[in-house]
Amino acid sequence: MSKFLRGTLILMAAGLVTRVLGFINRIVVARFIGEEGVGLFMMAFPTLILVITITQMGIPVAISKNVAEAEAQGDFKKIKKILAVSLAITLTLSIIFTPGLILLAPYLSKTLFTDPRTYYPLVAIAPIVPIIAISSVIRGYFQGRQNMKPAAYSQVIEQVVRITLIAVMTKAFLPYGIEYAAAGAMIASVFGELSSLIYLFAMFKLKKKFKVRKHFFKSISSGKQTLAELLSVALPATGSRMIGSLSWFFEPIVVSHSLAIAGVAATAATKQYGALTGYALPLLMLPSFITVSLSTSLVPAISEANSKKNYRMVEHRLQQALRFSLITGGLAVIILYVFAEPLMLIMYGSKNGADFIKLMAPFFIFYYYQGPLQAVLQALNLARAAMVNSLIGAVVKTGVIFALATQPHFGINGAALGIVVGTLLVTLLHFSTVLKVIPFTIYVRDYLKFAIAICLAGACSYWIYQISFTGSPIVFRVLFGILFMSLLYTMLIWIFGLISKQDLKMLPFFRR
């Protein structure tokens, strides 16, 4: 099995475990602090992501790409310079922006978010910035060497620690107010990320083949060329991520002000935004652990193939990634659409958010495609094109949110539609850019077969769910329905020839 497939499968397994643990985490938070508390959490969270994006400057992607190329040449001295320069950049930026986040918290909470209670989550999460700055460098190093185990295990450790602490923290702070409980959830996240960093650092010490501390500062001072190489990849990648982070940062601001124009009170707006971004979107994004795993593995794999001018392999890797994304994403779409209400009821004790899932799920197949496409653009040094595509999508998304959410008959549904339009547009733009630079065959018949399989599996499963085991516990009925749907969907794509024995042989437990 190739490093690409092995690394992808490791990340998928860890991603699945991490997402499941993350869901347990969200369920615990929702049960303790409700939609309003989740809304406060989710209003503050995009600000953190923006600060982290500025701090990282796209360095992790650049580390992964450059380390992969240096590893292929056996140049360990260059790898050492890459790490030294990267740490210097990220640590310096985190020292600047962490205090900045704390100082700006009062203004952000009172003026921009229109809910002063977001101040406490903003301040509580600030210490996580330098922790993530260091861990991202180490993760980039391991990913560049196509060793996905440390990054995968660290994600699991982070979630285990977070979920262990989050119930304790939210329960301890809840008597002081819902805003303090949301801050407690943020503090649990800080400790989770810290535990992940400790593990990554320990693995780095064990696995590295050179001494980092020896001539560390000399590596920085003599690393001008390395800095230029890193920034040539990092800055365009940062531009793309920065646009996404800025878009997410402005999203709660635009939503809260738009709903205010539509006559929705601040407290109600916070609850509605919590239901959309804290309940519905995490469920819609659950299958993305597969596309994130594929994207992470694609950057070094395609960088290596591209450096050898093996364009046939570049297309092969992209076809693999999109194929897996379509198969898994298609199943996710029909599960979420058919079982939206019972899933929300089981997980959060409320059907709030189910309407968002039904509205957005059919279009989220494009979201599952977006990650691999963007990874390919970065690996082919087309991060600038990805940045432009993301900018167009972000501007359109924000415009649609404002145009629709300010209308009373749309309200928060306008925000959901804006997110869908932005996602759809960026994915199509990425795909058109890829088609311009690499030879790529589109198998139209296969896509039609996938559409038929999705519709048949969805319709049959909905009918079975409605008539089977009437009066049984809802959990049992949903599990039976999902199992039936999964088996039927798998059988259909097998009958249609969309999965073959050759595909199964790529998985370790089918290799004999």
Side-chain angles (χ1 to χ4, degrees):
M1 180 181 289
S2 67
K3 280 186 176 181
F4 168 71
L5 287 171
R6 185 169 61 249
T8 301
L9 290 170
I10 290 169
L11 287 174
M12 282 183 184
L16 176 59
V17 174
T18 303
R19 289 302 173 106
V20 170
L21 291 174
F23 251 79
I24 296 172
N25 173 21
R26 289 182 181 277
I27 292 169
V28 171
V29 172
R31 296 280 183 172
F32 274 100
I33 62 178
E35 292 172 44
E36 193 173 354
V38 171
L40 291 172
F41 184 98
M42 294 307 299
M43 280 189 168
F45 196 70
T47 304
L48 169 68
I49 298 302
L50 176 60
V51 173
I52 289 172
T53 301
I54 296 171
T55 303
Q56 290 182 341
M57 272 185 59
I59 292 296
V61 173
I63 294 170
S64 176
K65 182 178 186 298
N66 287 11
V67 166
E69 293 171 354
E71 176 87 2
Q73 298 168 2
D75 192 348
F76 294 105
K77 187 177 179 181
K78 185 175 181 180
I79 294 175
K80 182 178 176 179
K81 281 188 177 182
I82 291 169
L83 290 174
V85 173
S86 301
L87 281 170
I89 295 170
T90 53
L91 283 175
T92 301
L93 291 172
S94 64
I95 290 170
I96 294 170
F97 286 101
T98 302
L101 174 59
I102 296 172
L103 292 172
L104 285 172
Y107 172 77
L108 291 170
S109 58
K110 292 178 183 178
T111 306
L112 296 184
F113 296 130
T114 70
D115 194 330
R117 295 175 299 172
T118 55
Y119 169 79
Y120 300 97
L122 282 170
V123 172
I125 200 64
I128 207 172
V129 175
I131 298 172
I132 291 179
I134 300 172
S135 63
S136 65
V137 172
I138 302 175
R139 281 195 180 99
Y141 164 76
F142 280 121
Q143 288 163 4
R145 297 192 62 194
Q146 300 195 47
N147 179 5
M148 304 303 173
K149 288 183 180 180
Y153 294 156
S154 69
Q155 291 173 4
V156 176
I157 290 170
E158 176 196 345
Q159 287 293 344
V160 169
V161 172
R162 182 184 296 184
I163 202 170
T164 303
L165 293 177
I166 203 154
V168 177
M169 292 289 187
T170 53
K171 193 173 182 179
F173 285 104
L174 189 57
Y176 301 98
I178 200 74
E179 62 272 28
Y180 289 95
M186 291 293 197
I187 293 170
S189 300
V190 174
F191 281 108
E193 193 65 46
L194 180 60
S195 64
S196 173
L197 173 59
I198 292 170
Y199 171 78
L200 282 171
F201 186 75
M203 288 299 100
F204 176 73
K205 292 281 287 183
L206 290 172
K207 300 288 185 181
K208 65 182 174 64
K209 298 180 180 180
F210 47 86
K211 293 182 179 180
V212 177
R213 286 183 295 178
K214 187 177 181 181
H215 308 305
F216 179 79
F217 292 103
K218 186 178 179 181
S219 297
I220 295 174
S221 60
S222 62
K224 290 183 180 180
Q225 184 178 350
T226 303
L227 176 62
E229 291 173 357
L230 285 170
L231 292 180
S232 67
V233 177
L235 289 179
T238 301
S240 184
R241 280 199 65 191
M242 181 67 70
I243 290 166
S245 298
L246 280 169
S247 174
W248 198 15
F249 170 73
F250 283 115
E251 183 182 295
I253 298 171
V254 174
V255 169
S256 59
H257 284 275
S258 298
L259 292 177
I261 293 172
V264 180
T267 302
T270 300
K271 286 183 178 180
Q272 291 177 8
Y273 190 72
L276 172 60
T277 59
Y279 287 12
L281 279 179
L283 200 56
L284 288 165
M285 293 179 176
L286 176 63
S288 66
F289 75 88
I290 295 173
T291 57
V292 168
S293 305
L294 288 168
S295 302
T296 304
S297 299
L298 271 175
V299 173
I302 288 185
S303 295
E304 183 179 348
N306 190 49
S307 66
K308 296 177 181 177
K309 302 188 182 303
N310 189 350
Y311 303 115
R312 189 173 180 179
M313 179 59 71
V314 172
E315 182 191 2
H316 176 64
R317 293 300 188 207
L318 179 57
Q319 289 280 14
Q320 280 183 314
L322 295 183
R323 187 182 186 85
F324 287 139
S325 298
L326 187 61
I327 291 172
T328 55
L331 179 60
V333 164
I334 51 176
I335 288 175
L336 293 173
Y337 187 85
V338 172
F339 300 108
E341 289 187 4
L343 281 173
M344 297 298 286
L345 193 61
I346 292 168
M347 294 174 58
Y348 302 116
S350 169
K351 291 183 180 180
N352 293 338
D355 290 339
F356 297 132
I357 291 176
K358 288 184 177 180
L359 177 64
M360 302 170 75
F363 304 98
F364 252 65
I365 192 71
F366 292 95
Y367 175 80
Y368 309 138
Y369 254 30
Q370 192 175 119
L373 290 171
Q374 181 152 332
V376 170
L377 292 177
Q378 290 173 346
L380 295 176
N381 295 319
L382 292 170
R384 189 182 301 276
M387 178 184 69
V388 173
N389 296 342
S390 299
L391 176 61
I392 294 170
V395 171
V396 171
K397 181 189 81 169
T398 305
V400 171
I401 289 175
F402 184 77
L404 297 182
T406 51
Q407 306 301 316
H409 54 281
F410 275 106
I412 192 66
N413 285 328
L417 288 170
I419 293 170
V420 164
V421 170
T423 300
L424 178 62
L425 181 59
V426 172
T427 303
L428 292 176
L429 288 172
H430 281 354
F431 193 61
S432 65
T433 305
V434 168
L435 290 178
K436 292 177 182 177
V437 295
I438 63 170
F440 189 82
T441 305
I442 301 175
Y443 300 99
V444 178
R445 282 187 180 180
D446 285 351
Y447 284 96
L448 291 174
K449 289 177 182 178
F450 272 117
I452 294 170
I454 288 171
C455 293
L456 284 175
C460 293
S461 300
Y462 179 76
W463 179 71
I464 289 293
Y465 172 73
Q466 292 295 324
I467 67 170
S468 65
F469 304 104
T470 305
S472 300
I474 189 171
V475 175
F476 176 78
R477 292 181 66 198
V478 170
L479 287 175
F480 176 78
I482 292 175
L483 178 61
F484 175 83
M485 180 185 289
S486 302
L487 292 173
L488 177 60
Y489 178 76
T490 303
M491 183 180 70
L492 287 170
I493 61 175
W494 180 273
I495 291 171
F496 290 156
L498 300 173
I499 285 184
S500 64
K501 290 182 180 180
Q502 188 71 22
D503 295 322
L504 295 178
K505 287 180 181 179
M506 292 189 294
L507 303 177
F509 40 83
F510 281 101
R511 288 171 64 89
R512 298 294 183 189

